[in-house]
Amino acid sequence: MDMEKIQKLQEIIDSSDNIVFFGGAGVSTESGIPDFRSQDGLYNQKYKYPPETIISHSFFMRNPEEFYRFYKDKMLALDAEPNPAHKKLAELEKAGKLRAVVTQNIDGLHQKAGSQKVLELHGSVLRNYCMRCGEFYDAAYIKNAHAVPKCSKCGGMIKPDVVLYEEGLDMGIMNESVRCITEADVLIIGGTSLVVYPAAGLIDYFHGKHLVLINKSATGRETRADLIITDPIGEVFSQINV
């Protein structure tokens, strides 16, 4: 680990009380949750249908049994625990330095670590609703349901509150993310290759003092960054003092 870069990150964090963190799958992989696009990710595993097809809205509506077979097996990681990155971000928020976490992840680990202001661009596996009457169900209900989860009140099919392919993002969450990033003087981007749009386009709203990239692979946005760290994000944040 490059301790000079860690020290630079520490100095940037120490100098600001208006930090926003924007994170992707790489934040959760250190908690044992598989990502989609890495060499060992879900896109490179073999299923009856490609994962990007299974987690599309049209596939969900057409073949909910197959959708839920994949979803329960690969996307419901209810035993996962926050890693040092999640925990440090929660500490930074509590200390009044971090204003918001904007995340592409759907696992709820930021909240489990104690973060309060979490903007979930792609929704959360922890929230599930009946498509007919709107009744709420937690993730355990989905995990334990046989085949396709059905509403105990009206018998309607339950859908996870996650943004599937072919679905639009929640504009309220997007607008609040844009506001936070626009007003921030430090933006730390971690665990994302910045290839999933429209979420990746949020970086274009940042006009503050310091842009920090923490990712194992290149993102294509290095020319804009003040600091680039290619070490695992959990190891990086474990070195930061609040």
Side-chain angles (χ1 to χ4, degrees), residues 28 55 107 118 121 131 150 223 228:
S28 294
I55 55 174
D107 48 52
V118 182
L121 297 171
M131 297 181 73
K150 295 294 179 65
T223 55
I228 301 165

Side-chain angles (χ1 to χ4, degrees), residues 147-168:
V148 179
K150 295 294 179 65
C151 178
S152 60
K153 287 193 172 184
C154 75
M157 185 165 67
I158 298 171
K159 180 184 180 297
D161 187 18
V162 299
V163 179
L164 304 178
Y165 286 110
E166 304 165 353
E167 295 179 344

Side-chain angles (χ1 to χ4, degrees), residues 11-239:
E11 291 169 2
I12 289 172
I13 290 173
D14 289 344
S15 69
S16 177
D17 61 359
N18 188 0
I19 303 168
V20 169
F21 178 80
F22 176 68
V27 180
S28 294
T29 52
E30 291 174 57
S31 292
I33 295 177
D35 70 352
F36 275 64
R37 289 178 171 78
S38 70
Q39 184 176 348
D40 300 317
L42 297 180
Y43 281 176
N44 292 304
Q45 297 180 24
K46 301 300 182 184
Y47 290 93
K48 186 176 179 181
Y49 303 92
E52 61 267 34
T53 297
I54 297 174
I55 55 174
S56 66
H57 178 82
S58 56
F59 188 92
F60 170 77
M61 298 301 295
R62 186 174 67 249
N63 195 343
E65 295 87 357
E66 188 69 23
F67 170 88
Y68 269 113
R69 190 175 298 121
F70 175 87
Y71 179 82
K72 291 180 190 181
D73 186 37
K74 294 298 181 182
M75 298 178 71
L76 273 185
L78 302 185
D79 295 329
E81 293 294 331
N83 63 55
H86 297 107
K87 294 175 183 177
K88 193 67 66 173
L89 289 166
E91 291 175 27
L92 288 168
E93 181 186 41
K94 190 174 182 181
K97 302 190 76 62
L98 185 78
R99 298 289 180 91
V101 169
V102 180
T103 181
Q104 296 172 286
N105 297 330
I106 59 175
D107 48 52
L109 289 180
H110 285 292
Q111 291 93 329
K112 198 171 185 178
S115 289
Q116 300 295 313
K117 176 88 169 183
V118 182
L119 298 166
E120 296 171 310
L121 297 171
H122 297 152
S124 172
V125 299
L126 304 183
R127 300 185 299 269
N128 307 271
Y129 298 95
C130 173
M131 297 181 73
R132 184 181 298 166
C133 74
E135 183 70 14
F136 171 86
Y137 291 91
D138 63 17
Y141 185 91
I142 304 301
K143 188 81 170 178
N144 296 326
H146 176 69
V148 179
K150 295 294 179 65
C151 178
S152 60
K153 287 193 172 184
C154 75
M157 185 165 67
I158 298 171
K159 180 184 180 297
D161 187 18
V162 299
V163 179
L164 304 178
Y165 286 110
E166 304 165 353
E167 295 179 344
L169 301 187
D170 183 304
M171 288 314 297
I173 299 292
M174 276 294 283
N175 290 338
E176 180 63 6
S177 300
V178 168
R179 185 189 70 77
C180 291
I181 289 172
T182 301
E183 295 177 358
D185 60 33
V186 173
L187 177 61
I188 301 174
I189 297 175
T192 174
S193 53
L194 295 174
V195 297
V196 178
Y197 282 81
L202 287 170
I203 186 176
D204 296 325
Y205 291 95
F206 178 67
H207 305 291
K209 295 177 184 176
H210 298 292
L211 175 63
V212 179
L213 295 179
I214 307 173
N215 199 54
K216 291 180 181 179
S217 59
T219 66
R221 297 299 190 111
E222 280 74 12
T223 55
R224 284 197 59 190
D226 300 284
L227 178 62
I228 301 165
I229 301 175
T230 56
D231 296 306
I233 192 166
E235 294 180 20
V236 171
F237 273 109
S238 68
Q239 301 294 318

